[in-house]
Amino acid sequence: MKITFLIHNVYGIGGTIRTTLNLAAALADHHEVEIASMLRHREHPRFSVDPRVTVVPLVDIRPDSDDSADPRLHQPAEIFPAAEKRYGQYSRLTDLRAEEYLRTCGADVIIGTRPGVNVYLARCGPPRALRIAQEHLTHDTHSKKLRAHLARHYRTLDAVVTTTQADADAYRAKMRLPGVAILAVPNSVPATDIPPADGTARVIAAAGRLTRAKRFDLLIDAFADVTAHHPDWSLRIFGTGTDKDRLQQLIDNHSLGKQATLVGSRSPIEPEFAQASIVAVASDAESFGMTIVEAMRCGVPVVSTDCPLGPAEIIHDGLDGRLVPVGDRKALADALLDLIADEGTRRRMGQAALDTARRYDPGPIARTYDELFAELAASRRSRARQRRRALWRSRFHRPARIGPSS
């Protein structure tokens, strides 16, 4: 069976890229796997790609590429939805390349990995292939306009797969998709061969894009409270992003220059987590929480905000990590202080975190996808009937409109 993933840009850095590569490698044990990258901005991907997985770039946006001289690269996209936040990076050229690729790729299963790319899949994907939309964002974080656009196209697909049960429930409740399977499958995170943390390092680590939604400002504020009691501990934040200067200014304002550091990106991140005793997540929202599982893989307990939607489905509060209210500086600082003060608890939680992380082994998650493929293939006709009945009801059984009373 040939399985193709459609991804925004496999040459970049991000959680969707990491989990797509993890799943592609696991599926490559039994299938031919290809990743079609809508964009390419550098020579080689930043993350390692399993040699059994083929990468096909569709539009090369490097300044010296042939595509950079194509006038269609500067014409607005007509298929990619304008309400999608990546719209400005898409063009008529990406529309045409995606359409051509989907028509000729010969895949048995095609999996899209972000909303706008899933619209390509719905509009241009071959009907003979199973077409699956993965949602690495969340239903409720999409704008109302984008949700309406997605609803029109997602109902033509075979399945919508979210990373959390809470998000799957949201799709079932808020987006009517007759004949479309909606289910949650968590991201996969492979085990690392790095020795797990021993809980003795006086280091708190954090990682992610340096954007306001990740709330590294809240973490820095909370860490300032921590240092008042434990000045020998340090905070290391890994990542790049638009919020870097603001966060550095906050560090300077707290006089934390010797204790808190914006380190920049590291790939892989696990060696850095293994040198910490606590990993902190202060986000306002997480669609899943790759950082949490990656830290657990290193035997490090995570202190995270209980934000929608992922952390509470990963962390068992008080067993393998801690959950604190969103935006609560004191609660975040107190949870960090509790673990700092108790090395035995850190070690115990770290071991429990290792056990929890096994739920995200790529092998079992790949088998879940294999089972999904078989189920979708077997239910094609029954799901098509569901669609036809729903369409018939919507056309001929709409409730009568009642005008204003006279």
Side-chain angles (χ1 to χ4, degrees), residues 72 211 237 281 363 394:
R72 296 171 298 180
T211 60
I237 298 175
V281 175
S394 68

Side-chain angles (χ1 to χ4, degrees), residues 17-319:
I17 301 169
R18 294 201 307 276
T19 191
T20 298
L21 292 173
N22 292 342
L23 179 57
L27 289 170
D29 287 343
H30 303 287
H31 304 286
E32 177 187 355
V33 181
E34 191 165 273
I35 296 176
S37 183
M38 297 296 139
L39 302 175
R40 176 187 192 172
H41 73 289
R42 65 195 311 272
E43 181 68 20
H44 301 289
R46 293 183 182 274
F47 296 126
S48 62
V49 180
D50 189 293
R52 300 170 299 173
V53 175
T54 303
V55 173
V56 180
L58 301 189
V59 175
D60 192 337
I61 59 174
R62 290 177 293 175
D64 58 347
S65 70
D66 291 341
D67 288 344
S68 67
D70 192 318
R72 296 171 298 180
L73 183 63
H74 307 289
Q75 297 171 2
E78 297 176 9
I79 299 176
F80 195 91
E84 228 263 38
K85 70 176 185 178
R86 296 284 189 184
Y87 177 73
Q89 296 177 255
Y90 283 74
S91 66
R92 188 62 186 140
L93 185 59
T94 39
D95 285 352
L96 294 171
R97 293 281 174 80
E99 186 175 11
E100 179 185 12
Y101 175 81
L102 287 166
R103 187 177 65 249
T104 60
C105 68
D108 302 291
V109 178
I110 308 174
I111 302 172
T113 58
R114 71 169 297 117
V117 171
N118 293 336
V119 172
Y120 283 139
L121 178 57
R123 290 188 57 174
C124 309
R128 63 167 291 277
L130 295 174
R131 297 176 296 166
I132 298 170
Q134 283 184 347
E135 272 286 356
H136 293 275
L137 302 172
T138 67
H139 176 280
D140 292 350
T141 57
H142 297 326
S143 68
K144 184 177 181 181
K145 184 176 180 180
L146 180 58
R147 290 198 298 265
H149 192 93
L150 295 178
R152 292 196 299 273
H153 295 290
Y154 278 14
R155 64 173 57 109
T156 70
L157 299 175
D158 293 286
V160 173
V161 178
T162 66
T163 58
T164 64
Q165 190 59 56
D167 199 33
D169 292 342
Y171 271 93
R172 293 189 192 102
K174 301 175 183 180
M175 190 177 286
R176 188 165 178 268
L177 301 173
V180 180
I182 300 174
L183 69 157
V185 181
N187 289 337
S188 63
V189 180
T192 176
D193 57 3
I194 297 167
D198 62 10
T200 62
R202 296 176 181 180
V203 176
I204 300 168
R209 296 185 310 278
L210 303 186
T211 60
R212 290 180 182 265
K214 295 296 186 180
R215 293 305 311 272
F216 290 115
D217 57 338
L218 178 69
L219 176 58
I220 292 167
D221 286 340
F223 181 68
D225 299 337
V226 167
T227 58
H229 302 276
H230 297 278
D232 54 337
W233 277 67
S234 63
L235 171 65
R236 294 168 60 82
I237 298 175
F238 299 92
T240 59
T242 56
D243 223 20
K244 179 181 178 180
D245 291 343
R246 187 177 75 94
L247 295 174
Q248 186 59 58
Q249 185 61 53
L250 185 59
I251 289 171
D252 295 341
N253 290 345
H254 281 301
S255 299
L256 294 173
K258 294 183 179 180
Q259 295 151 295
T261 309
L262 302 178
V263 182
S265 293
R266 294 290 186 274
S267 176
I269 191 62
E270 287 85 352
E272 306 295 344
F273 283 164
Q275 296 179 43
S277 289
I278 304 168
V279 166
V281 175
S283 302
D284 285 337
E286 288 283 349
S287 56
F288 175 66
M290 285 286 287
T291 295
I292 296 173
V293 181
E294 287 167 337
M296 288 179 158
R297 281 293 196 188
C298 298
V300 182
V302 180
V303 175
S304 173
T305 49
D306 189 9
C307 61
L309 295 169
E313 293 192 17
I314 301 171
I315 295 172
H316 303 88
D317 187 33
L319 176 64

Side-chain angles (χ1 to χ4, degrees), residues 3 22-23 25-31 183 185-186 188 358-375:
I3 301 168
N22 292 342
L23 179 57
L27 289 170
D29 287 343
H30 303 287
H31 304 286
L183 69 157
V185 181
S188 63
R358 294 192 183 99
R359 299 200 315 250
Y360 305 97
D361 285 345
I365 290 175
R367 287 194 290 275
T368 297
Y369 271 95
D370 277 330
E371 292 166 2
L372 173 62
F373 303 154
E375 181 181 335

